[in-house]
Amino acid sequence: MSPEPTVDQLIQAAHAHAASDDPLDLLDAVLTVTRDLSGRADAAVDQVVRRARDAGYSWTVIGERLGVSRQAARQRYAERVEQTPPTVGLIRGRDLDSALTAALEAAQAEGLAEAGTEHLLYGLLTDGVAAATLEKLDATREKIREASRRLFDYPATPVPQAHTVFSAEAQAVLAAAEQLATERTPTCAPVVTTTPQLLAVIATNPGSRGRRVLNDLGIDVADIKRLLHCYINVPRTAFGRRSRRGRSGKRQPDRCSFCGHARSETRRLVAGPDVWICADCVARCGEILAHPTADARQP
């Protein structure tokens, strides 16, 4: 049995069947594609209904396309698409906020109504761990911009957009980054989504536009995983570290509190107050501190 398609895959399939880019035509297409599916199919319809509402269409018109009355359409979708924000919640780190702002500005400069995951990749070069990682792999904003123009259909003459929003794919990637942050944050700490989680999700999603840009630039995803390992693999325990006792009750080897690797002859550990850090993580910290952010330089 083939795996159930993702929301983004459903919407992409709908785009291929839609008569035009009009939200109502897309709504017709997504209904056809998702008629026999459940779960993510409802989420896909919700997103397209939200687009139709954002485009100014009334519940009467949307209800006609759905084959229901205005009242039925409003009762079924209003709470999901209007009262529930389409953006992710929890706490965003300052580096991620800066990246999202830069991504939207980059899409606006291209004359696009939506910012995709390639724009998120562009924005990640603004600040933080993801910026340091991409720079280490020789990725620059200019290279990302050139690759995006080669791969995707951008307008030859940009038309200024009054309001640019994130695409469905970009919103799904942000939600996945938030989920990753939730899974990797110690239970005693607040969940903060930062740039490492977003870069990791983009890099490991083979179908995303951002991943296609990375492939075009010849950047190995394995290198990204290696450089981000310490930031996205913190164990989900009370203090963000693995227990030193296994199921048998025997003491387990000391491990780095950041990357989880055990002490060995080739991997030395430095002890702190109930924590350990290995030489690799110390070196990575040195690289980050060698390029302080603007906020870090302020007294």
Side-chain angles (χ1 to χ4, degrees):
M1 181 177 179
S2 60
E4 185 179 2
T6 65
V7 172
D8 290 334
Q9 289 171 336
L10 291 172
I11 294 179
Q12 288 173 4
H15 271 294
H17 291 83
S20 71
D21 291 333
D22 186 280
L24 291 179
D25 288 334
L26 184 59
L27 182 56
D28 285 339
V30 82
L31 285 171
T32 300
V33 171
T34 63
R35 183 171 290 114
D36 298 326
L37 299 176
S38 61
R40 291 190 180 94
D42 289 336
V45 176
D46 288 350
Q47 289 192 18
V48 179
V49 169
R50 182 184 292 117
R51 292 187 188 184
R53 288 292 294 165
D54 291 343
Y57 288 103
S58 67
W59 284 114
T60 300
V61 175
I62 293 174
E64 290 175 354
R65 295 301 179 100
L66 292 170
V68 298
S69 66
R70 170 186 176 278
Q71 183 178 5
R74 186 180 182 87
Q75 287 178 344
R76 181 174 180 181
Y77 293 100
E79 182 176 356
R80 297 208 295 261
V81 306
E82 292 184 344
Q83 295 181 13
T84 302
T87 55
V88 295
L90 299 186
I91 303 174
R92 289 177 179 169
R94 186 176 298 179
D95 58 340
L96 182 56
D97 275 335
S98 298
L100 298 184
T101 299
L104 289 172
E105 291 175 349
Q108 286 178 323
E110 295 285 357
L112 302 174
E114 292 186 339
T117 53
E118 73 274 26
H119 298 104
L120 290 177
L121 196 61
Y122 178 97
L124 284 173
L125 276 163
T126 302
D127 193 9
V129 171
T133 300
L134 289 170
E135 289 170 357
K136 190 175 184 66
L137 298 174
D138 198 29
T140 65
R141 284 185 166 182
E142 187 58 33
K143 289 181 179 179
I144 291 173
R145 186 185 295 111
E146 291 175 354
S148 298
R149 289 173 178 171
R150 284 195 302 270
L151 295 170
F152 311 120
D153 186 20
Y154 285 3
T157 303
V159 178
Q161 297 291 324
H163 183 58
T164 298
V165 298
F166 287 114
S167 67
E169 180 184 78
Q171 290 187 37
V173 165
L174 285 168
E178 189 172 74
Q179 180 62 32
L180 180 61
T182 301
E183 294 173 352
R184 295 295 187 265
T185 300
T187 54
C188 63
V191 178
V192 181
T193 310
T194 55
T195 56
Q197 291 95 13
L198 182 56
L199 178 56
V201 171
I202 292 174
T204 54
N205 184 350
S208 73
R209 291 162 69 103
R211 169 66 179 272
R212 291 173 61 189
V213 169
L214 291 172
N215 291 342
D216 185 79
L217 297 178
I219 295 177
D220 192 340
V221 174
D223 288 334
I224 294 179
K225 291 180 179 180
R226 174 176 55 81
L227 293 172
L228 295 180
H229 181 81
C230 293
Y231 306 95
I232 61 175
N233 286 282
V234 178
R236 180 67 166 168
T237 62
F239 297 101
R241 54 187 172 81
R242 292 177 174 84
S243 171
R244 295 182 184 177
R245 293 186 180 273
R247 293 182 180 179
S248 63
K250 295 181 179 180
R251 181 180 177 84
Q252 300 299 306
D254 293 325
R255 296 177 179 273
C256 176
S257 303
F258 295 87
C259 68
H261 284 105
R263 182 200 297 273
S264 66
E265 293 182 359
T266 59
R267 185 181 296 273
R268 298 177 59 189
L269 298 180
V270 177
D274 202 29
V275 296
W276 299 90
I277 186 169
C278 69
D280 289 346
C281 290
V282 170
R284 185 64 180 141
C285 291
E287 293 176 4
I288 296 172
L289 293 175
H291 300 85
T293 64
D295 292 330
R297 290 194 294 267
Q298 294 177 356

